[in-house]
Amino acid sequence: MQTKKKLVVLTGAGISAESGLKTFRDSDGLWEGYDVYEVATPRGFIANPQLVLKFYNERRKEVAKAQPNDAHKGLAALEEHFDVHIITQNIDDLHERAGSTNVTHLHGEIFKMRSVLDATKTYPITGDIKIGDLAPDGGQLRPFIVWFEEEVPMIEVAAKIVRQADLFVVIGTSLQVYPAAGLVNYAPYKIPKYIIDKKIPPTDSVHNLIIIEKPAGEGMKELKERIMNYEE
Ligand code: APR
C-alpha cells in the first residue's frame, strides 16, 4: 500500500463562520464589539477579570451550540486519502467534532481552563469560570487561551509539521496574527499550496499557490477535486 501524502492545513476563524461563529476581523467580527486589549491580553485580565471571564464564558456557550459545517467535515473525510494534520488558530472544537483526529491548537481551547500560575496544566470545562474558582495549585482559573502578548507554545511543533508537508492548505484566516501567519513560510517551496477564503488575504511571497476564493464549505469541494487529482 502506498503511504498517504501528508496534507497540512492551517485554519482560522473563517472555517467556523458557516457554523455561526463570528470571525475576528470581518465587519461585524468580534473585535468590532470588543477592545482586544481588554479581553485578550494578560494585562486586560489583571485590569478587569470579570469582563474577560464573561467574554470567554459567552464564547464557550456559542461554541457548544455550534455544529461542524461542510468544511470541517470535508477535512475529516480527507483522512481516508491523506495523512491530514490540522493546525488551527481556532479555540473551538469543531474540527474534532467533525471527526478530525490530528488537530493542533495554536491559540488554546475554549473547553479547557488553567491556573494563572501554570500555563502547562489544563482542566476540562463546559460551564462558566468564575472569580474565586481555584486550580489545585491555588491559582485563579482562567480560560486556556493564548492571549496577545503571550508565548505560543505550540508554534515550534506546528512549524515542524508544516516543514514536512506534501501539500499545504490555508482556510479562513486573515494571516494577520503572528507567529501563526508565519507558518505559511515554512511550507516547502515546491509543494502545491492552496488557500480557501471568501476574500483572499495578501499572500504575495508564496510560491505555487492556488487560490480558491470561495466560502469554506464550497471551497472545500473544489479543494477535494483538485487534490484527489494530485494524488493520482
Ligand atoms: N469562508 C471562508 N473564509 C471566510 C468566511 C467563510 N464563510 N468568512 C470569513 N472568512 C475569512 C475572512 O475573509 C478572513 O480572511 O476568514 C478570515 C478571518 O480572519 P480573522 O477574523 O482575522 O480570523 P483569524 O485569521 O483566525 O484570526 C487569527 O486573531 O484575534 C486573534 O486569536 C484570534 O486566532 C485568532 C487570530
Side-chain angles (χ1 to χ4, degrees), residues 11-18 21-26 29-31 36 40 56 69 88-91 107 145-148 171-177 180 196-201 214-217:
T11 66
I15 197 167
S16 296
E18 286 158 78
L21 299 177
K22 279 187 177 185
T23 63
F24 296 95
R25 293 173 186 79
D26 286 301
L30 272 172
W31 295 154
V36 39
Y56 289 100
N69 64 49
T88 187
Q89 297 166 85
N90 299 344
I91 59 174
H107 294 162
I145 304 290
V146 176
W147 286 328
F148 288 98
I171 309 176
T173 170
S174 62
L175 294 174
Q176 284 193 37
V177 174
I196 303 173
D197 201 294
K198 69 173 192 184
K199 191 166 174 281
I200 301 286
K214 290 182 175 171

Side-chain angles (χ1 to χ4, degrees), residues 24 31 36 39-42 56 88-91 105-110 112 114 119 122 142-155 177-180:
F24 296 95
W31 295 154
V36 39
V39 298
T41 63
Y56 289 100
T88 187
Q89 297 166 85
N90 299 344
I91 59 174
H105 287 266
L106 290 174
H107 294 162
E109 293 171 68
I110 194 67
K112 291 183 181 169
R114 69 152 169 110
T122 64
R142 55 162 271 189
F144 177 56
I145 304 290
V146 176
W147 286 328
F148 288 98
E149 301 169 2
E150 291 187 313
E151 272 182 48
V152 181
M154 294 309 284
I155 199 69
V177 174
Y178 284 80

Side-chain angles (χ1 to χ4, degrees), residues 90-180:
N90 299 344
I91 59 174
D92 67 54
D93 63 345
L94 297 180
H95 284 304
E96 288 91 340
R97 278 199 267 148
S100 285
T101 57
N102 211 332
V103 185
T104 301
H105 287 266
L106 290 174
H107 294 162
E109 293 171 68
I110 194 67
F111 293 116
K112 291 183 181 169
M113 58 185 177
R114 69 152 169 110
S115 166
V116 292
L117 304 175
D118 183 356
T120 60
K121 203 152 190 245
T122 64
Y123 309 90
I125 167 87
T126 50
D128 288 353
I129 307 176
K130 296 181 285 300
I131 301 290
D133 289 350
L134 302 182
D137 66 6
Q140 168 68 44
L141 286 160
R142 55 162 271 189
F144 177 56
I145 304 290
V146 176
W147 286 328
F148 288 98
E149 301 169 2
E150 291 187 313
E151 272 182 48
V152 181
M154 294 309 284
I155 199 69
E156 284 306 321
V157 174
K160 196 171 166 204
I161 296 169
V162 175
R163 277 196 205 100
Q164 293 165 351
D166 295 310
L167 300 97
F168 182 62
V169 182
V170 175
I171 309 176
T173 170
S174 62
L175 294 174
Q176 284 193 37
V177 174
Y178 284 80

